[in-house]
Amino acid sequence: MEGNPVEVETGEKLEKLQELRNLGIEPYNGHFGKTHTVLEIRNHEAVLIQSETRVRTAGRLMAIRRHGKALFADLQDYTGRIQIYVKRDVLGDDRFRVFRVIDVGDLLGVEGKVFRTHAGELTILVEDFVFLGKCLRPLPEKWHGLRDVEVRYRKRYLDLIMNPEVRSVFLLRSRLIREIRAFLDERGFIEVETPMMQVIPGGALARPFKTFHNALGMELYLRIAPELFLKRLVVGGFEKVYEINRNFRNEGISVRHNPEFTMLELYEAYGNYETMMRLCEELLSSVVLRVLGTYTITYQSMTIDFTPPWRRLFLPEAIREKTGVDILGDSLEIMQKKADALGMPWEASWDRGKFVNELLERFVQPELVHPTFVLDYPVEISPLAKAKKDDPRLAERFELFIGREEIGNAYSELNDPFEQRKRFEEQARKRQRGDLEAHSIDEDYLEALEYGMPPTGGLGIGIDRLVMLLTDAPSIREVILFPLLRPAGD
């Protein structure tokens, strides 16, 4: 038989599909009740073997080894693989005949007793089975034969089938989020959901995605952050709230950025950024220990220690020490000249805030390996944060850096409606000058502040980047199940 090998194999599988039907086997059965996952069988093997318990489990056949009147196969579910042993003497001729047309990739439910072979392999002796799904395309023989990362991302289902390390990343991600929720729930935080579509995008300095609501005849924006809605809830009396959900930012794509990403954002009434530092340190150190069993991890060849307490670094001092730039005292012209001397490109449209962010990213951030709180950012790049009483040029704000990456952002929330209006108005002037990331004036939020918001601490943590750290992933796409890609062929 000639032709494309994949097409040939697919044709053969279609023929076997018909053979299954001819044998009276429904190739796409609707139900199979599992009693154990593969991992549960492995964890309880001694009891299962001693008690001769019949287990029922199901999964995908990943290898088949035929030996005349018997065969061995590897059955895989989301928790791992286990060997199954199929004997004609046990099933009978008619039932055993079905295995002549069963292929690697097919889905099977099996029932039987657990034992160890002479070679020591934990195995299920199949006493009954249900065919659950026919695989009509050949699986990759070895995943390293598909090196194109875009193929892996576009066909994540194949990535998950063939690569147990990828499955482990997303299982860890799930457990991490579960532990974060447990930590916050135990401390009286309430999990809430706030709008994904907003009339005015706010809560961060970023460009939004725009959409249109046909029934209402109005433009809406996918949220760039849930902040302003969560703080409305604090006004309403929810003193401890959090949300773990997606944000959307119409920005570039890189190994650190995906246009839709997952954030934890939380607020605690009667707190401030010091409260948030303590909470953040306790949250992340305890969650890392619970998930990994250690405070020490390796990320991209860096050894990182999450053991508290964590280092605190003051932003103006750190930038001055590394670059000689006084971000509070130097004029914009002086900052431009010093940037030239440092070999740092800049644009004529940059204000002080743009210079601060660039100086931080280029000269300070690369040295922040262990968890480090960088404190006290200029007010002009912190429009929602409360100014420091002893220096109103600075905001009570910190960012958390781990493994040279920004992981979190927090501040004492600005709850003065008059000052917040002034900040919004300055942001609006920046928008008029062409800064598409600047805030718009949100009158409804200002009205909520006028009812009185208690002093509040707020914290945001990037879940995707945190998972990158804990799984040693080089790209954010490795920790998002379906990262955004251009359409195939573009």
Side-chain angles (χ1 to χ4, degrees):
M1 193 177 202
E2 298 181 357
N4 181 295
V6 173
E7 292 178 356
V8 169
E9 189 167 345
T10 298
E12 293 171 351
K13 287 177 175 290
L14 286 169
E15 291 175 2
K16 290 181 179 179
L17 177 69
Q18 187 56 50
E19 287 186 55
L20 284 169
R21 289 191 167 117
N22 293 341
L23 290 170
I25 300 295
E26 168 52 51
Y28 299 104
N29 256 301
H31 175 72
F32 183 83
K34 294 175 64 170
T35 61
H36 298 76
T37 65
V38 168
L39 181 60
E40 288 169 341
I41 293 171
R42 293 193 176 280
N43 287 343
H44 302 99
E45 69 162 287
V47 172
L48 294 173
I49 291 174
Q50 184 176 5
S51 63
E52 297 187 338
T53 300
R54 286 167 65 103
V55 300
R56 289 169 59 88
T57 193
R60 190 179 298 271
L61 295 175
M62 300 303 296
I64 299 175
R65 300 171 291 280
R66 291 183 168 88
H67 302 280
K69 298 179 181 180
L71 67 84
F72 291 93
D74 294 337
L75 186 76
Q76 174 179 289
D77 71 3
Y78 76 99
T79 67
R81 288 191 188 188
I82 193 168
Q83 181 171 264
I84 63 171
Y85 181 34
V86 183
K87 295 179 66 178
R88 190 175 71 178
D89 291 348
V90 174
L91 292 179
D93 290 344
D94 291 343
R95 297 279 282 164
F96 187 75
R97 191 175 295 118
V98 175
F99 281 86
R100 294 184 311 179
V101 292
I102 287 179
D103 292 315
V104 168
D106 291 348
L107 296 164
L108 196 68
V110 299
E111 181 177 349
K113 296 173 184 175
V114 181
F115 72 102
R116 286 271 178 184
T117 65
H118 293 302
E121 184 72 24
L122 187 65
T123 304
I124 300 172
L125 174 62
V126 178
E127 300 172 43
D128 196 8
F129 71 92
V130 177
F131 194 88
L132 297 172
K134 183 65 181 171
C135 176
L136 299 178
R137 290 178 177 267
L139 297 179
E141 290 185 11
K142 294 182 180 178
W143 187 243
H144 65 253
L146 295 176
R147 299 191 178 189
D148 186 340
V149 293
E150 289 220 358
V151 174
R152 290 179 49 228
Y153 301 151
R154 290 184 194 282
K155 301 183 179 182
R156 184 67 89 184
Y157 49 89
L158 282 182
D159 197 12
L160 293 167
I161 290 171
M162 302 306 300
N163 191 343
E165 293 180 358
V166 172
R167 287 200 308 276
S168 69
V169 166
F170 292 103
L171 290 174
L172 183 144
R173 179 187 176 110
S174 177
R175 184 178 176 194
L176 174 70
I177 293 172
R178 191 165 64 247
E179 294 290 353
I180 289 172
R181 283 194 167 103
F183 178 95
L184 294 173
D185 292 346
E186 288 169 3
R187 285 156 181 80
F189 282 83
I190 302 168
E191 184 172 11
V192 297
E193 294 179 341
T194 59
M196 291 287 187
M197 294 188 294
Q198 301 178 354
V199 176
I200 299 175
L205 300 177
R207 295 181 65 175
F209 288 96
K210 185 185 296 186
T211 187
F212 189 82
H213 195 295
N214 292 328
L216 295 178
M218 62 187 294
E219 287 185 342
L220 292 170
Y221 299 88
L222 296 183
R223 75 175 186 194
I224 55 176
E227 176 170 343
L228 301 187
F229 282 94
L230 289 170
K231 289 196 286 193
R232 285 173 170 92
L233 296 179
V234 176
V235 172
F238 280 10
E239 296 180 3
K240 292 183 175 183
V241 293
Y242 76 94
E243 183 170 6
I244 300 175
N245 222 321
R246 292 296 182 93
N247 292 339
F248 306 86
R249 298 183 184 175
N250 199 350
E251 300 170 346
I253 298 176
S254 71
V255 295
R256 295 186 299 159
H257 298 93
N258 194 65
E260 57 174 318
F261 58 97
T262 303
M263 286 284 295
L264 161 68
E265 198 151 320
L266 65 87
Y267 293 86
E268 181 175 352
Y270 311 109
N272 62 8
Y273 79 143
E274 291 282 351
T275 310
M276 292 299 101
M277 262 184 279
R278 292 192 294 271
L279 179 67
C280 181
E281 185 176 271
E282 185 182 356
L283 166 64
L284 292 186
S285 61
S286 65
V287 165
V288 167
L289 184 62
R290 288 181 66 88
V291 171
L292 299 181
T294 178
Y295 284 124
T296 305
I297 68 168
T298 300
Y299 174 66
Q300 302 300 290
S301 301
M302 295 177 282
T303 300
I304 300 173
D305 187 358
F306 280 82
T307 304
W310 295 347
R311 180 188 181 196
R312 297 186 179 194
L313 194 65
F314 293 94
L315 178 64
E317 294 177 9
I319 290 180
R320 184 169 56 247
E321 179 182 321
K322 294 297 179 184
T323 68
V325 177
D326 182 348
I327 64 173
L328 298 176
D330 287 346
S331 67
L332 200 57
E333 183 179 358
I334 291 175
M335 293 180 80
Q336 292 169 348
K337 290 179 179 179
K338 288 184 177 180
D340 288 337
L342 292 164
M344 185 183 88
W346 53 273
E347 298 177 12
S349 62
W350 283 13
D351 59 11
R352 185 180 301 273
K354 295 286 187 183
F355 273 99
V356 170
N357 283 331
E358 191 69 16
L359 289 165
L360 170 62
E361 187 170 331
R362 281 177 174 266
F363 299 104
V364 179
Q365 187 172 332
E367 298 188 7
L368 304 181
V369 174
H370 297 291
T372 303
F373 294 118
V374 178
L375 285 72
D376 299 349
Y377 284 61
V379 164
E380 59 198 278
I381 57 172
S382 312
L384 297 167
K386 185 173 290 187
K388 290 175 67 71
K389 289 184 178 180
D390 58 353
D391 189 344
R393 297 172 299 174
L394 296 174
E396 293 187 355
R397 175 186 173 190
F398 72 79
E399 288 186 318
L400 171 64
F401 292 87
I402 309 175
R404 301 174 180 156
E405 300 287 352
E406 179 201 340
I407 301 299
N409 184 30
Y411 34 85
S412 303
E413 304 299 331
L414 179 56
N415 59 344
D416 178 343
F418 301 103
E419 178 63 21
Q420 186 64 79
R421 180 175 292 278
K422 286 172 56 180
R423 303 271 192 94
F424 277 162
E425 288 171 348
E426 175 56 34
Q427 289 287 306
R429 287 190 287 272
K430 288 186 176 184
R431 287 186 71 84
Q432 290 172 356
R433 296 194 295 266
D435 186 349
L436 298 179
E437 294 185 353
H439 278 277
S440 299
I441 298 176
D442 189 333
E443 292 289 351
D444 184 77
Y445 175 68
L446 290 170
E447 181 182 337
L449 287 186
E450 290 170 0
Y451 282 93
M453 184 173 82
T456 299
L459 169 66
I461 294 174
I463 297 296
D464 306 303
R465 289 187 184 175
L466 184 57
V467 177
M468 286 176 64
L469 283 174
L470 301 192
T471 59
D472 195 18
S475 169
I476 196 170
R477 293 183 177 188
E478 295 289 349
V479 301
I480 296 175
L481 281 168
F482 300 102
L484 184 66
L485 302 168
R486 292 183 183 275
D490 280 13

